[in-house]
Each structure stands twice: as C-alpha cells, then as structure tokens.
C-alpha cells in the first residue's frame, strides 16, 4: 500500500497560524485583566506654626524639628500632637545640629545682622547658653549659615558667608578649610554625602551675586563650578540619591539641576530663571528613587501659591500640583518620610508654617 506523506509546508503554516492565534488570545486576556491606572492624589494638611517663617526642617528618628524665625519647635510624626516649643523663642534661627538627643547647637542671627550667636543645650532644650567659640575673625562672630555633623570622624562642618570650616571639639574651636572669614557674600550651605562621609559638597553666592558649587574629598577640592548656572544665582539645596550616590540634585535660584556621574556632567531639570523661582526644597523617596519632589519660593513675593513639583522618572519629566487654599506658599525646605503605604512630604513655608502632603502608594500610581 502506498503511504501518502503530508505536505511539509502546509504543516509549518498550520502551526504558525495556531501559535499566532494563541499569542493574540493571551494578549487579549492580559489586557482585560490589567487594572486601570490609579490617578495620583494628594492630601494637604497644615500641621502647625501658621504665620511663622520656617527656615529649615530636620528629622531625628520620629521627631521633626522646625527651625523658625521665632525659636525651635518639634513634633512627633507618628502621633497627631501639635508642635511644641523646644526653646529659643523670639530668636531667628538659621540651623541646628544634633550630637545626641540632649546635646544641640543652634545658630542665631537677627534680621538686621546686628546680633549673632551660637546657642548650646546639654539637656535637650530645657536650658540654653551662649557657646564660647572662634567662628569668625578674632574679636568678631560670623553667623553659621549651615551645620553638618560627621559622627564617623567626630568632625563638625559649618559654613559662613564665604567660608567652610571644621571643628573637632563640637564647635568650640574652628579651622577654615576653604574660603576665609568675613568674605563678601550672602551665605553658604553644605551637605555630606550619606554614603561617603569624606565627600563634602557646598556652595554659596559671592559679592556680585555669583553662584558657585564646590566638591571636596578628604578636604581636597575635586571640582569647583562658577558658571554651572546663569547668574545671578545661589545653590539652596543639595540632595543625594541614597541608592545611587553619584546621582545628586542641586536646587538653585532659577533652576533645579542634576548630575548622574558625581559632577562630571550636569543637566537642567527645571528652568525658572525668568520667574525668579528659588528651589530650596528637594527630596527623594526612600522606597522609590525615581520619585523626586521639589518646592519653590518666589523671590520678593509677599504672597505666592503653594506649589509642589514632582517627577516619577528620576527628574526627566515634571508636573506640578498647587494647593489653592494657602497664599503664603513659598517653600524654604522639604523633607520626605517614606512608609510602606505612603509618601509623607513635609514642607517648611515662608510665613505659612509647616504642611504635610500625603501620597498613598498602596496601589499603582500614575500622574494625570
């Protein structure tokens, strides 16, 4: 008997047809079962200190400290208690530093620059005294504009108007390591890379409104930028991506920029030079480094909207959300506290106290 062999080409086409049909059905099933994207929604809450100028925020475990033009206040972020006064009421504070829960320093300068002090407490704020120190030229005192404490090397760093100095005895004696005392300028700020304690970044503004940024490693200049951002400008925030420490965001007068290679190259993320927006507040989610927040302050504006910028792609694209019920919305600082289900963004406002913005992250989020 003669056996009839099937046509091989027909068999191949048959199996291709069945495979394509299976793939199409699988894609249809997948598309039908995917949930619709959940729009990103915010909850805005004014949590206290309305009417005060909150110059900075600091977080120590579950305590949030508000450094204001009328003293130092704190609130437990895990409870619903109100802010309580830690001390120094009536004083315009520029910054604080914690050596431990009882030992703090606070930098004070009144609004006309005629009074400058460093205050110290050894009992968590119950009692404050004026600290003896030599931060400044002999016979004078220069205002500390920013503190940073490196516990690993027992070194306290601080900036003045045009100086970066260090102290190894918790603020009693100081040694300049960049710049000098009584330089002409409007003040400086600094940050230590949390992943590399020998990595210090700082910047400020010179006498002709020229902004500069400096990177030190082991107290040696690695790089110095004097034309990174169009003048007039000044750096106001330096934030490190904890998951990728070479990713650094810098907020300036006029723009927010970023480096992804520890300063070798830079890109502008937000340009608001024409509107004179200052980016004092920048924060990154601890659970999602692509989720970045930025707050603005409009120069010389008595009243201004409260606007939060946000990016879900590491700063590549940005959108804004404005809270219409607050007209003292200039943002001086920003702190992000990430939990399993929320992002809590605390905002320090110019005369608007402290706001908390809550974002629910339990479900997939998209920005619309």
């Amino acid at each position: 008997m003669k056996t009839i062999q099937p046509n091989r080409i027909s068999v191949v086409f048959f199996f291709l047809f069945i495979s394509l049909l299976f793939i199409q059905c699988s894609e249809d099933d997948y598309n039908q079962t995917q949930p619709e994207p959940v729009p990103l929604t915010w909850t805005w809450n004014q949590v206290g200190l309305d009417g005060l100028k909150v110059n900075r925020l600091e977080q120590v475990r579950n305590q949030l400290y508000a450094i204001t033009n009328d003293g130092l206040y704190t609130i437990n972020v895990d409870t619903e208690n109100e802010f309580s006064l830690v001390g120094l009421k009536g004083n315009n504070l520029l910054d604080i530093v914690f050596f431990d829960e009882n030992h703090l320093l606070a930098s004070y300068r009144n609004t006309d620059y005629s009074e400058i002090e460093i205050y110290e407490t050894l009992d968590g704020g119950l009692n404050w005294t004026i600290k003896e120190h030599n931060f400044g030229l002999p016979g004078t005192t220069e205002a500390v504009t920013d503190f940073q404490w490196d516990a690993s090397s027992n070194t306290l760093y601080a900036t003045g108007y045009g100086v970066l100095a260090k102290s190894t005895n918790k603020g009693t004696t100081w040694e300049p390591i960049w710049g000098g005392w009584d330089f002409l300028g409007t003040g400086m700020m600094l940050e230590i890379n949390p992943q590399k304690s020998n990595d210090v970044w700082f910047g400020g503004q010179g006498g002709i409104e020229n902004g500069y940024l400096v990177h030190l490693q082991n107290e040696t200049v690695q790089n110095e930028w004097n034309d990174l951002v169009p003048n007039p400008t000044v750096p106001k925030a330096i934030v490190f991506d904890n998951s990728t420490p070479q990713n650094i965001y810098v907020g300036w007068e006029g723009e927010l920029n970023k480096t992804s290679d520890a300063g070798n190259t830079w890109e502008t993320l937000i340009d608001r030079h024409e509107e004179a927006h200052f980016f004092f507040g920048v924060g990154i989610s601890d659970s999602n480094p692509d989720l970045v927040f930025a707050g603005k302050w409009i120069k010389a504006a008595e009243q201004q909207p409260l606007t939060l910028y946000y990016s879900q792609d590491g700063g590549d694209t940005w959108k804004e959300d404005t809270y219409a019920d607050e007209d003292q919305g200039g943002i001086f600082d920003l702190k992000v506290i990430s939990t399993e289900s929320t992002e809590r963004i605390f905002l320090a406002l110019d005369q608007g106290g402290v706001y908390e913005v809550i974002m629910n992250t339990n479900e997939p989020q998209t920005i619309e």
Side-chain angles (χ1 to χ4, degrees):
M1 178 181 294
K2 183 178 180 181
T3 302
I4 301 175
Q5 298 291 334
N7 186 294
R8 292 184 178 180
I9 296 177
S10 300
V11 172
V12 171
F13 275 111
F14 173 76
F15 280 106
L16 282 174
F17 173 77
I18 294 299
S19 299
L20 289 172
L21 184 63
F22 176 78
I23 292 171
Q24 182 61 47
C25 291
S26 298
E27 288 180 348
D28 290 343
D29 292 341
Y30 177 84
N31 291 333
Q32 290 174 4
T33 58
Q34 294 308 296
E36 289 294 322
V38 179
L40 178 63
T41 58
W42 307 91
T43 301
W44 298 78
N45 299 308
Q46 218 274 7
V47 293
L49 307 182
D50 188 25
L52 294 189
K53 181 176 293 188
V54 183
N55 294 317
R56 289 190 180 174
L57 296 173
E58 293 291 345
Q59 182 194 354
V60 180
R61 293 180 292 278
N62 61 351
Q63 291 295 131
L64 185 72
Y65 289 84
I67 303 159
T68 82
N69 65 337
D70 190 27
L72 178 63
Y73 297 81
T74 188
I75 190 171
N76 188 311
V77 297
D78 294 334
T79 70
E80 296 182 358
N81 295 330
E82 297 180 351
F83 275 99
S84 59
L85 179 67
V86 178
L88 301 176
K89 185 171 176 58
N91 291 275
N92 178 54
L93 302 182
L94 302 182
D95 197 19
I96 60 172
V97 61
F98 286 81
F99 301 118
D100 56 50
E101 61 183 7
N102 293 314
H103 191 184
L104 291 78
L105 300 183
S107 173
Y108 158 73
R109 181 184 66 198
N110 66 352
T111 54
D112 65 4
Y113 289 45
S114 62
E115 296 178 9
I116 295 170
E117 301 288 357
I118 296 178
Y119 289 102
E120 184 173 35
T121 179
L122 301 175
D123 54 17
L126 295 176
N127 298 282
W128 293 85
T129 59
I130 295 176
K131 185 174 183 61
E132 294 294 328
H133 64 87
N134 67 339
F135 193 88
L137 289 172
T140 69
T141 296
E142 185 166 327
V144 172
T145 56
D146 201 357
F147 286 117
Q148 288 293 330
W149 169 241
D150 177 18
S152 66
S153 64
N154 194 44
T155 302
L156 176 62
Y157 295 96
T159 52
Y161 301 130
V163 66
L164 171 69
K166 72 173 184 178
S167 170
T168 55
N169 54 11
K170 297 185 177 179
T172 300
T173 58
W174 294 89
E175 174 191 350
I177 57 177
W178 187 92
W181 303 119
D182 203 29
F183 273 30
L184 185 61
T186 59
M188 298 165 57
M189 55 85 60
L190 80 144
E191 294 289 345
I192 299 174
N193 190 328
Q195 305 298 319
K196 302 176 181 179
S197 62
N198 65 339
D199 221 31
V200 178
W201 293 69
F202 62 96
Q205 185 181 70
I208 55 173
E209 297 189 311
N210 54 304
Y212 56 87
L213 181 69
V214 184
H215 173 206
L216 294 187
Q217 200 166 72
N218 297 319
E219 299 183 9
T220 301
V221 174
Q222 300 299 300
N223 219 328
E224 189 168 343
W225 298 270
N226 292 288
D227 56 359
L228 190 59
V229 174
N231 290 316
T233 192
V234 58
K236 287 297 185 181
I238 302 172
V239 177
F240 301 90
D241 180 349
N242 287 331
S243 64
T244 312
Q246 68 266 25
N247 290 348
I248 306 168
Y249 297 82
V250 182
W252 300 75
E253 175 186 354
E255 74 176 62
L256 174 66
N257 62 21
K258 175 186 178 182
T259 177
S260 299
D261 51 20
N264 291 317
T265 60
W266 295 85
E267 59 179 319
T268 298
L269 305 181
I270 303 174
D271 185 342
R272 292 293 184 273
H273 288 277
E274 186 175 346
E275 297 88 348
H277 290 180
F278 286 64
F279 291 93
F280 284 82
V282 182
I284 306 172
S285 165
D286 287 330
S287 57
N288 177 10
D290 287 332
L291 185 56
V292 186
F293 305 93
K296 66 175 175 59
W297 175 77
I298 303 174
K299 186 176 183 178
E302 285 294 322
Q303 294 184 335
Q304 54 189 282
L306 174 53
T307 300
L308 184 64
Y309 291 80
Y310 47 88
S311 170
Q312 287 184 300
D313 52 17
D316 289 340
T317 60
W318 293 82
K319 290 192 177 182
E320 308 172 22
D321 194 23
T322 297
Y323 183 62
D325 292 341
E326 177 59 65
D327 58 6
Q328 297 288 352
I331 297 175
F332 276 161
D333 201 0
L334 179 157
K335 287 286 181 288
V336 180
I337 299 177
S338 302
T339 70
E340 291 183 359
S341 58
T342 62
E343 299 290 345
R344 304 174 67 187
I345 306 101
F346 289 90
L347 308 175
L349 304 189
D350 179 6
Q351 302 181 61
V354 176
Y355 269 77
E356 180 185 9
V357 184
I358 301 175
M359 168 184 154
N360 190 337
T361 57
N362 270 328
E363 297 177 345
Q365 302 283 335
T366 61
I367 298 175
E368 293 187 347

